[in-house]
Amino acid sequence: MKPHYERALIVGAGSGLSASLARLLAGQGMRVGLAARNVAKLGDLAAETGAAIHACDASRPAEVEALFARLEPALGGHPDVVVYNASGRLRGPLVGLDPEAVERALAVTAYGAFLVAQAAARRMLPARHGALLFTGASASVKGFAGSSPFAMGKFALRGLSESLARELQPEGIHVAHVVIDGAIRNPARGGEPPDAPDSTLDPDAIARAYLDLLRQDRSAWTSEVALRPWVERF
């Protein structure tokens, strides 16, 4: 049975992958909500997609609850697709890291994902219908030197997704973790290196992979998928 989705929320929205997702999902006829700490950057995207935009710090429980309360009238119901795309990208040598900055990075990458997933699941469970998609990274499965806070957060995000897949999929909610194993192409920063075509991930192509997850028959749901350029080393 292929599910039908009508309303999507993207948390941690910006100009890259989130923008590609918003355009694609809106093009599929979904009503879209965009949430970010800084919503000033989302005006053009909202105008293009008809998305509702809301300021939200996903690491704060009260703000997450307020986000979902505001979204329901804006979207005509609770979101039945939620994409968690927020993360704290703190890097540096271990001995020089600021503990408070590390705590903040973990709160955004992992704790915020828990809060958003909890709020979404409370609304999806009565209907036994919905999808939770979490955006991971290379750091979800391998830690790199000088990047311990990012790896800690992304490992935790992957653990959350695996646990929720086992808990919620039998209740009709599709949960999937997407490992983005490579750099995402950014035209504003020069796009592709001329001597290395297709060496970065096209955000529109990534968005289509998310849509493929949403189109899966529940008899063969994917709980994790890894996306990487063809030249990326495993």
Side-chain angles (χ1 to χ4, degrees):
M1 178 180 177
K2 293 183 180 180
H4 175 67
Y5 300 106
E6 297 181 351
R7 297 170 294 275
L9 166 63
I10 302 168
V11 178
S15 60
L17 171 58
S18 295
S20 291
L21 283 166
R23 295 186 189 102
L24 182 60
L25 298 181
Q28 297 295 311
M30 294 188 203
R31 293 187 288 277
V32 176
L34 304 173
R37 280 177 290 175
N38 175 17
V39 297
K41 61 185 178 181
L42 300 177
D44 290 345
L45 181 62
E48 179 184 352
T49 60
I53 57 176
H54 298 281
C56 177
D57 182 340
S59 69
R60 299 183 181 276
E63 292 194 26
V64 171
E65 279 302 318
L67 168 66
F68 277 82
R70 292 195 306 268
L71 271 177
E72 293 194 22
L75 298 183
H78 67 77
D80 50 10
V81 173
V82 173
V83 180
Y84 194 81
N85 202 31
S87 63
R89 290 182 172 272
L90 178 66
R91 293 184 173 89
L94 174 66
V95 296
L97 290 169
D98 176 6
E100 290 187 1
V102 173
E103 182 180 35
R104 176 63 186 161
L106 294 176
V108 173
T109 305
Y111 181 56
F114 160 77
L115 293 175
V116 169
Q118 185 182 59
R122 284 173 174 161
R123 292 160 172 82
M124 294 175 179
L125 280 168
R128 296 177 61 87
H129 171 72
L132 295 171
L133 305 181
F134 299 98
T135 300
S138 304
S140 300
V141 293
K142 50 189 174 185
F144 295 92
S147 190
S148 55
F150 192 52
M152 289 161 62
K154 288 297 187 182
F155 264 65
L157 182 71
R158 188 184 189 209
L160 173 68
S161 181
E162 286 193 354
S163 295
L164 295 186
R166 289 171 170 82
E167 178 179 346
L168 299 178
Q169 288 195 169
E171 303 300 322
I173 299 169
H174 189 180
V175 181
H177 177 248
V178 183
V179 179
I180 310 297
D181 191 12
I184 298 177
R185 188 176 307 166
N186 188 335
R189 297 176 185 169
E192 288 282 88
D195 58 344
D198 297 327
S199 60
T200 56
L201 293 101
D202 181 343
D204 290 342
I206 300 173
R208 290 193 293 271
Y210 281 65
L211 181 60
D212 288 342
L213 287 169
L214 297 177
R215 288 174 168 171
Q216 286 181 338
D217 189 283
R218 68 183 182 187
S219 69
W221 272 349
T222 298
S223 59
E224 182 170 79
V225 61
L227 306 176
R228 58 181 63 87
W230 68 290
V231 296
E232 183 77 13
R233 295 180 180 179
F234 284 70

